[in-house]
Amino acid sequence: MRACTKLILAALPLAALALPLQAQAQVTKIKSNPQALILDAAEVKAGTDMIFVSGQLPAPLDPAKPMSELKSPDDFGDTKTQTISVLGKIKTVLEKQGYTMADIVKLTLFVAADPKLGKLDFAGANEGFKQFFGTAENPTTVARSTFQVAALVSPVYLIEIEAIAAKKK
């Protein structure tokens, strides 16, 4: 038998091992407390498709109003309303790329104080979050970090959210 043929035959079992490894590409969501709003962690194995969604800001309540006239958070709603708007935008970005909200493994929330409350509205952000996670449509949740920031790009915004989604190839 020629050396080249021996090398190919020797490599076949190794190639066969590589196929199951690719098939095992997966995302594991880790949650120790079933009642918890967010995950403890998310594990993304090699070979998994991923998308990183840039920080998204809320849309104005009246999309017909010119940006130059949008002067206060009232033009965008409270923290809950803005959270729903931002997560809706993230959902649209993901769907255009073939992902769903259930594919999100990590969210980072940047929340500014609501001038009406004089503080961060963490409860409002969570209420908006609950419209997209732990629902009949999407029973999953995500790993998440929330940061209070002094301000966002404009004082009209109360929240900005970035996302990482992953799914099997």
Side-chain angles (χ1 to χ4, degrees), residues 17-28 43-50 103 166-169:
L17 287 175
L19 292 175
L21 290 177
Q22 285 182 336
Q24 291 174 356
Q26 64 181 355
V27 176
T28 304
E43 180 181 28
V44 179
K45 299 216 183 255
T48 304
D49 285 338
M50 295 180 71
D103 295 322
K167 66 179 181 170
K168 285 184 177 184
K169 284 189 173 191

Side-chain angles (χ1 to χ4, degrees), residues 113-136:
D114 182 332
K116 288 182 178 178
L117 303 176
K119 64 180 184 169
L120 168 133
D121 183 8
F122 188 69
N126 278 340
E127 286 303 311
F129 178 86
K130 290 177 187 177
Q131 304 296 309
F132 292 85
F133 300 96
T135 65

Side-chain angles (χ1 to χ4, degrees), residues 3 17 41 56 115 157:
L17 287 175
Q56 300 293 309
Y157 301 120

Side-chain angles (χ1 to χ4, degrees), residues 51-74:
I51 186 170
F52 296 78
V53 181
S54 295
Q56 300 293 309
L57 294 165
L61 295 174
D62 180 358
K65 198 170 185 181
M67 279 302 276
S68 61
E69 293 180 24
L70 302 172
K71 307 254 188 238
S72 81
D74 290 338

Side-chain angles (χ1 to χ4, degrees), residues 18 20 30 34 39 51-52 54 69 77 81 84-85 93 109 122 128 133 136-137 142 154:
I30 303 159
L39 299 175
I51 186 170
F52 296 78
S54 295
E69 293 180 24
T81 302
I84 292 168
S85 174
V93 169
L109 285 63
F122 188 69
F133 300 96
E137 181 184 341
V142 301
S154 169

